[in-house]
Amino acid sequence: MTEHRRNQLRFVLVFVALYGLILFLIRPEPTRGQTIFRLTLVGVGVLGLVWIHPRESK
């Protein structure tokens, strides 16, 4: 993966994680489905960033 593509992917993953957190701030009393969706967004963003980090050192 090129450095440019890795930076694009990192930007998208950070955006996804932050978007999930922003959704909690906009409507603080979400339904169960909204909570699962938001936590999934945050989880995908964070896990994606963790997955990319070791690959950068190679």
Side-chain angles (χ1 to χ4, degrees):
M1 183 181 303
T2 65
E3 186 64 29
H4 179 68
R5 180 66 76 184
R6 189 175 293 122
N7 287 336
Q8 287 177 332
L9 184 57
R10 187 180 302 119
F11 175 79
V12 169
L13 291 170
V14 168
F15 178 79
V16 167
L18 288 178
Y19 182 68
L21 292 174
I22 289 170
L23 287 175
F24 277 112
L25 295 175
I26 291 173
R27 185 168 177 211
E29 298 175 9
T31 64
R32 183 179 306 178
Q34 289 172 338
T35 302
I36 292 169
F37 175 74
R38 294 169 186 185
L39 289 175
T40 302
L41 284 177
V42 173
V44 166
V46 170
L47 289 175
L49 289 170
V50 169
W51 180 73
I52 286 176
H53 185 69
R55 295 179 180 276
E56 287 181 356
S57 61
K58 290 182 180 181

XYZ file of all heavy atoms in Angstrom:
478
model
N 0.854 -1.162 0.000
C 0.000 0.000 0.000
C 0.911 1.239 0.000
O 1.837 1.331 0.797
C -0.891 -0.026 1.241
C -1.866 1.095 1.299
S -2.943 1.132 2.765
C -3.737 -0.427 2.705
N 0.605 2.172 -0.859
C 1.423 3.381 -0.937
C 1.151 4.287 0.264
O 0.132 4.170 0.942
C 1.127 4.156 -2.228
O -0.224 4.630 -2.175
C 1.336 3.294 -3.458
N 2.076 5.176 0.512
C 1.943 6.096 1.641
C 0.733 7.018 1.460
O 0.016 7.312 2.411
C 3.222 6.919 1.786
C 3.237 7.794 3.014
C 3.202 7.007 4.308
O 3.699 5.866 4.332
O 2.649 7.531 5.289
N 0.483 7.442 0.235
C -0.673 8.299 -0.035
C -1.980 7.574 0.285
O -2.870 8.131 0.930
C -0.661 8.756 -1.495
C -1.823 9.617 -1.864
N -1.986 10.889 -1.359
C -2.890 9.390 -2.664
C -3.112 11.400 -1.844
N -3.670 10.517 -2.635
N -2.090 6.334 -0.135
C -3.296 5.543 0.122
C -3.467 5.279 1.625
O -4.571 5.316 2.156
C -3.217 4.226 -0.646
C -4.400 3.333 -0.470
C -5.642 3.920 -1.063
N -5.607 3.779 -2.486
C -6.511 4.264 -3.311
N -7.546 4.900 -2.830
N -6.403 4.125 -4.590
N -2.358 5.037 2.314
C -2.408 4.805 3.758
C -2.895 6.054 4.481
O -3.697 5.966 5.417
C -1.021 4.398 4.261
C -1.013 3.926 5.686
C 0.346 3.428 6.123
N 0.681 2.202 5.401
C 1.767 2.050 4.644
N 2.620 3.023 4.510
N 1.994 0.918 4.027
N -2.435 7.218 4.039
C -2.897 8.471 4.649
C -4.380 8.700 4.408
O -5.099 9.183 5.279
C -2.087 9.650 4.129
C -0.694 9.681 4.699
O -0.442 9.142 5.774
N 0.222 10.310 3.977
N -4.857 8.373 3.210
C -6.291 8.495 2.914
C -7.102 7.579 3.814
O -8.135 7.979 4.361
C -6.563 8.150 1.458
C -6.112 9.193 0.479
C -6.355 8.754 -0.960
O -6.373 7.555 -1.263
N -6.520 9.716 -1.841
N -6.656 6.343 3.966
C -7.358 5.380 4.812
C -7.347 5.829 6.269
O -8.359 5.724 6.965
C -6.725 3.998 4.671
C -7.390 2.859 5.424
C -8.853 2.714 5.020
C -6.636 1.565 5.182
N -6.231 6.356 6.722
C -6.139 6.851 8.094
C -7.131 7.994 8.307
O -7.823 8.047 9.333
C -4.715 7.321 8.377
C -4.487 7.701 9.818
C -3.074 8.168 10.103
N -2.086 7.160 9.751
C -1.135 7.338 8.842
N -1.038 8.473 8.192
N -0.281 6.384 8.578
N -7.240 8.902 7.348
C -8.176 10.019 7.453
C -9.617 9.511 7.553
O -10.400 9.973 8.388
C -8.026 10.950 6.245
C -9.030 12.057 6.220
C -8.857 13.179 7.006
C -10.152 11.969 5.415
C -9.793 14.201 6.994
C -11.092 12.982 5.394
C -10.912 14.104 6.190
N -9.974 8.554 6.724
C -11.338 8.011 6.732
C -11.631 7.335 8.066
O -12.713 7.510 8.642
C -11.541 7.038 5.549
C -12.832 6.264 5.693
C -11.511 7.793 4.237
N -10.694 6.571 8.583
C -10.917 5.871 9.851
C -11.043 6.832 11.019
O -11.888 6.639 11.899
C -9.792 4.870 10.094
C -9.783 3.669 9.148
C -8.499 2.877 9.316
C -10.994 2.797 9.362
N -10.244 7.879 11.029
C -10.367 8.894 12.081
C -11.718 9.587 11.969
O -12.402 9.813 12.971
C -9.212 9.920 12.004
C -9.480 11.132 12.879
C -7.904 9.257 12.390
N -12.136 9.899 10.752
C -13.429 10.543 10.549
C -14.576 9.654 11.033
O -15.497 10.121 11.696
C -13.628 10.885 9.071
C -14.962 11.498 8.791
C -15.191 12.827 9.061
C -16.000 10.733 8.269
C -16.432 13.406 8.819
C -17.236 11.293 8.025
C -17.461 12.637 8.304
N -14.508 8.368 10.722
C -15.570 7.437 11.136
C -15.653 7.376 12.655
O -16.744 7.419 13.235
C -15.328 6.034 10.523
C -16.201 4.986 11.178
C -15.569 6.063 9.029
N -14.517 7.267 13.328
C -14.510 7.204 14.792
C -15.050 8.502 15.402
O -15.876 8.468 16.325
C -13.102 6.922 15.299
N -14.611 9.630 14.894
C -15.086 10.909 15.422
C -16.564 11.130 15.128
O -17.290 11.685 15.964
C -14.261 12.061 14.843
C -12.838 12.171 15.361
C -12.109 13.317 14.664
C -12.821 12.373 16.857
N -17.019 10.690 13.977
C -18.437 10.825 13.639
C -19.301 10.044 14.626
O -20.339 10.527 15.072
C -18.677 10.348 12.206
C -20.103 10.506 11.755
C -20.638 11.768 11.562
C -20.907 9.394 11.528
C -21.955 11.919 11.145
C -22.220 9.542 11.113
C -22.739 10.803 10.928
O -24.029 10.953 10.532
N -18.854 8.846 14.975
C -19.589 8.059 15.969
C -19.660 8.769 17.308
O -20.702 8.779 17.967
N -18.569 9.393 17.717
C -18.565 10.133 18.983
C -19.428 11.388 18.905
O -20.123 11.730 19.862
C -17.131 10.504 19.359
C -16.224 9.337 19.732
C -14.799 9.825 19.935
C -16.742 8.622 20.955
N -19.399 12.063 17.771
C -20.217 13.268 17.597
C -21.705 12.918 17.661
O -22.505 13.679 18.208
C -19.864 13.975 16.278
C -18.488 14.622 16.399
C -20.907 15.027 15.900
C -17.929 15.141 15.100
N -22.068 11.764 17.138
C -23.468 11.363 17.199
C -23.945 11.207 18.645
O -25.102 11.491 18.959
C -23.685 10.061 16.432
C -23.646 10.171 14.915
C -23.762 8.777 14.292
C -24.749 11.058 14.404
N -23.066 10.755 19.544
C -23.435 10.665 20.954
C -23.656 12.052 21.556
O -24.498 12.216 22.433
C -22.354 9.934 21.755
C -22.479 8.436 21.688
C -21.530 7.692 21.033
C -23.536 7.781 22.284
C -21.627 6.313 20.958
C -23.655 6.407 22.228
C -22.700 5.670 21.562
N -22.910 13.043 21.094
C -23.061 14.394 21.630
C -24.317 15.087 21.111
O -24.934 15.871 21.827
C -21.830 15.240 21.278
C -20.514 14.784 21.906
C -19.372 15.635 21.364
C -20.584 14.891 23.413
N -24.675 14.803 19.862
C -25.832 15.465 19.259
C -27.126 15.018 19.927
O -27.992 15.826 20.243
C -25.887 15.178 17.747
C -24.729 15.892 17.058
C -27.211 15.608 17.145
C -24.592 15.542 15.605
N -27.268 13.724 20.115
C -28.457 13.197 20.758
C -28.017 12.285 21.891
O -27.699 11.114 21.683
C -29.303 12.424 19.749
C -30.609 11.961 20.340
C -31.553 11.458 19.290
N -32.769 10.973 19.939
C -33.498 10.002 19.480
N -33.175 9.422 18.352
N -34.568 9.615 20.116
N -27.982 12.812 23.107
C -27.408 12.068 24.219
C -28.224 10.862 24.692
O -27.707 10.048 25.426
C -27.286 13.108 25.330
C -28.189 14.213 24.951
C -28.365 14.154 23.477
N -29.477 10.726 24.280
C -30.301 9.597 24.715
C -30.696 8.737 23.517
O -31.853 8.716 23.098
C -31.544 10.104 25.437
C -31.220 10.886 26.702
C -32.452 11.467 27.334
O -33.574 11.133 26.906
O -32.295 12.281 28.254
N -29.725 7.990 22.956
C -30.027 7.191 21.768
C -30.806 5.921 22.109
O -30.798 5.450 23.251
C -28.645 6.839 21.230
C -27.783 6.831 22.440
C -28.343 7.894 23.349
N -31.473 5.391 21.105
C -32.132 4.096 21.269
C -31.071 3.005 21.259
O -29.892 3.257 21.006
C -33.131 3.851 20.123
O -32.397 3.768 18.901
C -34.166 4.956 20.034
N -31.474 1.778 21.537
C -30.530 0.667 21.571
C -29.864 0.472 20.210
O -28.655 0.265 20.116
C -31.235 -0.615 21.987
C -30.281 -1.781 22.112
C -30.981 -3.036 22.541
N -31.724 -2.764 23.761
C -32.481 -3.647 24.375
N -32.603 -4.846 23.885
N -33.130 -3.332 25.481
N -30.630 0.545 19.147
C -30.075 0.382 17.802
C -29.092 1.486 17.452
O -28.049 1.233 16.848
N -29.411 2.722 17.835
C -28.502 3.837 17.574
C -27.209 3.685 18.368
O -26.128 3.982 17.870
C -29.175 5.159 17.934
C -30.280 5.548 16.989
C -31.048 6.756 17.492
O -31.047 7.072 18.681
N -31.730 7.429 16.564
N -27.323 3.198 19.593
C -26.135 2.991 20.414
C -25.229 1.940 19.791
O -24.008 2.128 19.709
C -26.529 2.559 21.832
O -27.363 3.553 22.410
C -25.308 2.350 22.710
N -25.802 0.848 19.332
C -25.017 -0.207 18.692
C -24.343 0.322 17.431
O -23.163 0.068 17.190
C -25.899 -1.428 18.385
C -26.334 -2.081 19.698
C -25.184 -2.433 17.493
C -27.422 -3.126 19.539
N -25.081 1.074 16.625
C -24.532 1.650 15.395
C -23.367 2.587 15.704
O -22.307 2.513 15.080
C -25.633 2.387 14.631
C -25.152 3.114 13.414
C -24.799 2.409 12.273
C -25.047 4.493 13.406
C -24.353 3.074 11.144
C -24.602 5.168 12.285
C -24.256 4.453 11.145
N -23.539 3.456 16.681
C -22.505 4.427 17.021
C -21.264 3.752 17.586
O -20.143 4.105 17.235
C -23.056 5.439 18.019
C -24.149 6.295 17.408
C -24.861 7.108 18.443
N -25.990 7.796 17.838
C -26.755 8.656 18.473
N -26.509 8.947 19.735
N -27.759 9.234 17.858
N -21.466 2.772 18.464
C -20.318 2.047 19.010
C -19.593 1.256 17.926
O -18.369 1.118 17.961
C -20.771 1.124 20.141
C -21.196 1.820 21.431
C -21.739 0.810 22.431
C -20.041 2.609 22.027
N -20.351 0.751 16.952
C -19.734 0.041 15.835
C -18.879 0.991 15.001
O -17.770 0.637 14.594
C -20.814 -0.619 14.953
O -21.578 -1.514 15.762
C -20.202 -1.370 13.802
N -19.379 2.193 14.750
C -18.585 3.183 14.009
C -17.280 3.492 14.734
O -16.203 3.496 14.124
C -19.378 4.480 13.826
C -20.474 4.493 12.778
C -21.200 5.841 12.809
C -19.916 4.232 11.409
N -17.372 3.740 16.022
C -16.176 4.059 16.797
C -15.225 2.861 16.800
O -14.019 3.013 16.610
C -16.549 4.474 18.236
C -15.307 4.636 19.094
C -17.368 5.759 18.226
N -15.768 1.672 16.984
C -14.943 0.466 17.008
C -14.231 0.214 15.694
O -13.042 -0.123 15.669
N -14.940 0.367 14.587
C -14.327 0.165 13.269
C -13.208 1.182 13.051
O -12.129 0.828 12.559
C -15.384 0.269 12.147
C -14.749 0.399 10.789
C -16.300 -0.942 12.192
N -13.446 2.422 13.421
C -12.420 3.452 13.251
C -11.177 3.166 14.080
O -10.054 3.200 13.575
N -11.370 2.840 15.337
C -10.231 2.598 16.229
C -9.499 1.318 15.844
O -8.267 1.294 15.760
C -10.701 2.550 17.698
C -9.598 2.067 18.619
C -11.206 3.918 18.128
N -10.237 0.242 15.602
C -9.584 -1.016 15.228
C -8.855 -0.886 13.889
O -7.791 -1.480 13.705
C -10.597 -2.150 15.182
C -11.126 -2.601 16.543
C -12.218 -3.656 16.367
C -10.011 -3.116 17.418
N -9.412 -0.135 12.976
C -8.742 0.094 11.699
C -7.429 0.834 11.875
O -6.422 0.496 11.253
N -7.435 1.834 12.749
C -6.194 2.572 13.002
C -5.158 1.689 13.693
O -3.971 1.766 13.389
C -6.494 3.810 13.855
C -7.247 4.918 13.141
C -7.691 5.982 14.138
C -6.407 5.528 12.046
N -5.602 0.839 14.604
C -4.684 -0.091 15.270
C -4.126 -1.083 14.263
O -2.954 -1.444 14.308
C -5.407 -0.816 16.436
C -4.582 -1.974 16.965
C -5.734 0.172 17.534
N -4.944 -1.522 13.320
C -4.512 -2.486 12.310
C -3.494 -1.870 11.350
O -2.556 -2.522 10.930
C -5.731 -2.982 11.538
C -5.413 -3.974 10.473
C -5.055 -5.276 10.632
C -5.438 -3.733 9.059
N -4.859 -5.858 9.416
C -5.084 -4.944 8.426
C -5.726 -2.616 8.283
C -5.017 -5.052 7.050
C -5.648 -2.738 6.920
C -5.310 -3.935 6.320
N -3.659 -0.594 11.029
C -2.753 0.079 10.103
C -1.394 0.365 10.763
O -0.364 0.263 10.110
C -3.360 1.411 9.613
C -4.462 1.128 8.623
C -2.316 2.285 8.942
C -5.170 2.377 8.157
N -1.386 0.703 12.037
C -0.154 1.135 12.696
C 1.002 0.136 12.580
O 2.103 0.544 12.202
C -0.431 1.476 14.156
C 0.749 2.032 14.856
N 1.260 3.280 14.565
C 1.553 1.511 15.811
C 2.306 3.500 15.318
N 2.519 2.444 16.091
N 0.838 -1.164 12.869
C 1.976 -2.078 12.737
C 2.450 -2.222 11.292
O 3.616 -2.482 11.040
C 1.461 -3.412 13.254
C 0.224 -3.126 13.996
C -0.302 -1.826 13.466
N 1.556 -2.059 10.353
C 1.921 -2.206 8.953
C 2.773 -1.038 8.469
O 3.464 -1.134 7.469
C 0.673 -2.328 8.091
C -0.090 -3.595 8.410
C -1.336 -3.692 7.582
N -2.071 -4.886 7.869
C -1.840 -6.081 7.346
N -0.872 -6.230 6.512
N -2.572 -7.117 7.681
N 2.714 0.100 9.148
C 3.520 1.256 8.765
C 5.001 1.002 9.018
O 5.851 1.488 8.296
C 3.092 2.484 9.556
C 1.765 3.040 9.126
C 1.400 4.266 9.937
O 2.147 4.627 10.868
O 0.372 4.854 9.634
N 5.318 0.269 10.053
C 6.721 0.073 10.420
C 7.460 -0.861 9.488
O 8.675 -0.923 9.508
C 6.809 -0.441 11.861
O 6.142 -1.687 11.956
N 6.755 -1.601 8.647
C 7.404 -2.542 7.723
C 7.936 -1.848 6.498
O 7.559 -0.838 6.088
C 6.427 -3.626 7.299
C 6.122 -4.557 8.438
C 5.205 -5.651 7.985
C 4.917 -6.585 9.139
N 4.064 -7.669 8.782
